[in-house]
Amino acid sequence: MDLDEAGAPPPFRYAAVPRLTRFSDVLDEARYVPVPDAWWIALCDVVMSTRAIEEGRYRSVNMAGAALIAAVRNALPEADMPFVFGGDGATLLVSPEHRRTVETVLAATVTWVRETLGLELRAALIPVAAVRVAGHDLRIARYAASPTVDYAMFSGGGLAYAEAALKRGLHAVPAAPGGARPDLTGLSCRFEAVPARDGLVLSLIVLPEGGADRNAVLAVLGELLAEVEASPGMGRPVPESGPAMRPPWSGLREDMRGESASAGSRLLRLASLFLSRGAAFALFRLGVPFGPFSPRRYRRRLAANADFRKYDDGLRLTVTCPVATADRIEARLAAARAAGLVRYGLHRQEAAVVTCITPSLLRDDHVHFVDGADGGYARAAAMLKRQP
C-alpha cells in the first residue's frame, strides 16, 4: 500500500479502487478493498413494496428506490459516492465529511416519497464501524459497466447486516417536516418497458447459505454467470439501440407530482411538463441531433451504462434469456439449495423497466437502473423470504 509523506496510508477514495472490466471478476474476493470504519452506510427501502407492485405501482416503487441516489448525487455532485440500486431501495457509502448532508437529504427523500408517491420509505444511516463490531466486514470493488460509468460491488456480509438493521429500525433516520423536497433533477422513468427478446426477463437473487463452503458457493455463482453470458446478447435486457420513449401523456400526472409547487398553478405546470415531454418525445422519435445532443448516442450510452447485474456477497441479476436457459438456471439453483450452498429467489416476466438518472443530456455518465417490469427484484426477494 502506498504511504503519504507522514508514513500513513492515503485516505480511502472510491475513485482510486481499481476498475473491473469483466463482470465475472466480481467473484474474485481478492479484488475487494476494505471500507474504513469512519465511513457510513446510507440506505432505504419501500415498506410493503410487494403489495404496491401487486397494485400495479412498480414504477413508483422503482422511482422511490432510485430517488435517494439522485438526491445525494445532486446535493454532492463532486463527491466520491458509491451506490447500489435494489429495485425497492438503495444503498450508498458516505464519507465522514458528507454524513450530515446525506442525513438531511435522506430525511427529505422519506418525506417526498410519502407525500408524492404515497409510499412509506424507511431509512437508516449506519456507521461502518458498527458492522465490524457486529462481526461482519465491508469490502468494495468497482465494476466498469462502460468507460464512463462504474457500479459498486460489495463483499464481507456488511450490506446484509445493514439491511437487517434497517428493517429492525436501528440507526433510523426520521422523515423531514412536511413539504421537504430533495433535488431530484435528472430522475425519470420516461422509457417504455423493454420486451424480452426470444424468451423472458429473469430477475434473480442468489445468496450464500449460512456456513456454506465459500469456494463451492462461488463456483455455483460462476456457473450461473457463464450460463447467462452464453445466452443471446449476454443477457443484456436493454438492446444496443436503447428502449423506446413513452408518449408524452403517459404518466404525466404522476410525474407532475414531483414538480415544485412554486413553479406556478397546477394547470400551468401540467401544460409546461407536457410540452417539454412532447418535445423530447419528438426528438427521440425522429432521432435527429439537436445542437450538441444526439438522441441515438444517448440511447446507445443508455444501453451500455445499464445496471442490470450486481454483487453483494451474492448475485442480483435482471437479464433476458431463452426459457430453456431460465429452466437450467432454476434447476442448478434448486440443486445448490438442496446441497446447502445457497438460498435464492427468482421471478419470470415478459419485460424489463429502466429508471434513469440523467443530470445532463450532454454527458455520457448518465446511469440507468434495470428491474423486471412485473416486480422483478421485489418479487424475487419475496420468494427468498418464503424459503425456510
Side-chain angles (χ1 to χ4, degrees):
M1 178 182 293
D2 295 334
L3 301 179
D4 63 18
E5 294 180 359
F12 173 81
R13 293 179 57 249
Y14 176 59
V17 175
R19 303 172 85 233
L20 307 179
T21 55
R22 294 187 311 172
F23 187 77
S24 58
D25 285 341
V26 305
L27 301 181
D28 182 357
E29 297 192 341
R31 307 247 187 181
Y32 289 73
V33 299
V35 179
D37 283 354
W39 279 52
W40 297 73
I41 306 168
L43 68 166
C44 65
D45 73 356
V46 175
V47 178
M48 301 186 74
S49 57
T50 303
R51 175 180 293 182
I53 289 167
E54 289 171 348
E55 294 170 352
R57 306 182 62 200
Y58 61 87
R59 287 190 181 273
S60 292
V61 169
N62 282 173
M63 189 73 76
L68 177 62
I69 297 172
V72 170
R73 282 164 59 99
N74 287 331
L76 297 165
E78 305 302 322
D80 198 15
M81 197 75 64
F83 57 84
V84 177
F85 171 71
D88 63 348
T91 303
L92 298 95
L93 286 190
V94 181
S95 62
E97 64 268 28
H98 295 139
R99 184 191 69 82
R100 292 192 181 278
T101 298
V102 171
E103 185 172 17
T104 300
V105 171
L106 193 51
T109 303
V110 172
T111 298
W112 178 82
V113 168
R114 178 186 299 160
E115 296 181 349
T116 303
L117 301 179
L119 297 170
E120 193 68 28
L121 194 71
R122 56 189 161 200
L125 196 56
I126 301 172
V128 172
V131 168
R132 294 198 170 99
V133 168
H136 306 282
D137 197 6
L138 188 63
R139 300 173 63 84
I140 190 169
R142 193 162 62 114
Y143 168 63
S146 75
T148 56
V149 168
D150 302 328
Y151 293 108
M153 308 285 145
F154 293 93
S155 71
L159 283 199
Y161 169 80
E163 290 169 4
L166 169 71
K167 289 176 170 58
R168 295 200 307 269
L170 302 179
H171 307 281
V173 174
R181 293 290 183 270
D183 180 0
L184 298 177
T185 301
L187 177 64
S188 67
C189 214
R190 300 282 298 279
F191 292 96
E192 295 278 12
V194 185
R197 303 185 302 278
D198 301 322
L200 53 82
V201 169
L202 182 69
S203 292
L204 179 65
I205 302 174
V206 187
L207 302 178
E209 187 63 86
D213 179 80
R214 191 65 186 159
N215 290 331
V217 171
L218 291 174
V220 171
L221 300 184
E223 292 171 7
L224 297 180
L225 285 181
E227 189 75 60
V228 169
E229 291 180 354
S231 62
M234 298 179 66
R236 290 184 171 274
V238 181
E240 186 176 348
S241 58
M245 180 165 278
R246 297 161 66 193
W249 54 85
S250 176
L252 183 63
R253 293 183 182 275
E254 290 78 5
D255 288 354
M256 195 193 71
R257 292 159 65 188
E259 297 290 310
S260 171
S262 62
S265 70
R266 186 175 185 278
L267 184 60
L268 181 62
R269 286 184 288 129
L270 188 66
S272 175
L273 185 61
F274 178 79
L275 289 174
S276 66
R277 289 182 55 163
F281 179 76
L283 196 64
F284 274 86
R285 192 66 173 263
L286 294 173
V288 295
F290 182 75
F293 174 66
S294 166
R296 288 194 177 96
R297 178 181 176 85
Y298 179 87
R299 277 180 165 161
R300 288 196 300 270
R301 298 316 307 165
L302 186 161
N305 295 352
D307 174 36
F308 65 98
R309 49 191 178 179
K310 55 204 81 185
Y311 179 84
D312 55 280
D313 293 301
L315 286 177
R316 299 172 191 266
L317 310 174
T318 290
V319 296
T320 184
C321 62
V323 173
T325 299
D327 290 342
R328 286 194 298 271
I329 288 173
E330 189 164 4
R332 182 67 185 95
L333 286 171
R337 180 170 180 261
L341 295 176
V342 303
R343 297 176 296 115
Y344 69 93
L346 55 79
H347 187 65
R348 302 181 185 212
Q349 56 239 296
E350 297 180 352
V353 291
V354 182
T355 303
C356 310
I357 300 179
T358 308
S360 170
L361 289 172
L362 301 182
R363 292 169 49 178
D364 286 344
D365 60 351
H366 37 92
V367 298
H368 307 274
F369 305 121
V370 179
D371 198 0
D374 186 37
Y377 287 127
R379 289 190 185 270
M383 175 182 171
L384 183 66
K385 292 174 185 175
R386 290 194 298 268
Q387 292 182 358

